[in-house]
Amino acid sequence: GKHWTVNEVRALIRIWSDKNIQQQLEGTVRNKRIFEQVAARLQKFGIDRDWKQCRTKYKNLKHEYKSVKSAQDSGSTSKTMKFFNELDAILGHCTMEQASKSDN
């Protein structure tokens, strides 16, 4: 698919930071319906992405965030990413215990 622009990622993160969306995402693995909502909201910003693209981007961002976070936790400051602070505001409150609970 076409590359996500900074604005598109910002918009995705803005929607993702919605408490309602977060709660839905934390509570489920089968999340196609949630990402359909996310895609619909992106459309309102004039961003044309389907739910699969949104989910993939979400997963990639989350994965990247986690690897940067764990690098930092182990004392490495060399690893960084563009939207770390924004994602930390969303994901930082999730303890690992919470994260593993939502994996089952």
Side-chain angles (χ1 to χ4, degrees), residues 50-66:
D50 64 27
W51 71 270
K52 277 187 180 148
Q53 290 172 308
C54 293
R55 188 176 64 183
T56 301
K57 190 63 182 173
Y58 161 82
K59 283 184 167 172
N60 290 346
L61 283 167
K62 203 169 171 179
H63 177 77
E64 193 181 354
Y65 167 81
K66 279 183 175 164

Side-chain angles (χ1 to χ4, degrees), residues 59-83:
K59 283 184 167 172
N60 290 346
L61 283 167
K62 203 169 171 179
H63 177 77
E64 193 181 354
Y65 167 81
K66 279 183 175 164
S67 68
V68 172
K69 186 82 169 168
S70 66
Q72 285 182 355
D73 289 347
S74 66
S76 162
T77 52
S78 59
K79 213 169 161 66
T80 181
M81 68 179 283
K82 195 166 207 152
F83 300 99

Side-chain angles (χ1 to χ4, degrees), residues 1-5 8 47-49 53:
K2 74 182 202 308
H3 201 67
W4 285 71
T5 67
E8 286 176 332
I47 297 166
D48 189 24
R49 295 284 179 183
Q53 290 172 308

Side-chain angles (χ1 to χ4, degrees), residues 82-101:
K82 195 166 207 152
F83 300 99
F84 184 82
N85 291 338
E86 290 94 323
L87 292 173
D88 198 45
I90 300 171
L91 298 169
H93 66 268
C94 293
T95 57
M96 283 331 278
E97 171 196 339
Q98 231 180 334
S100 64
K101 201 167 61 194

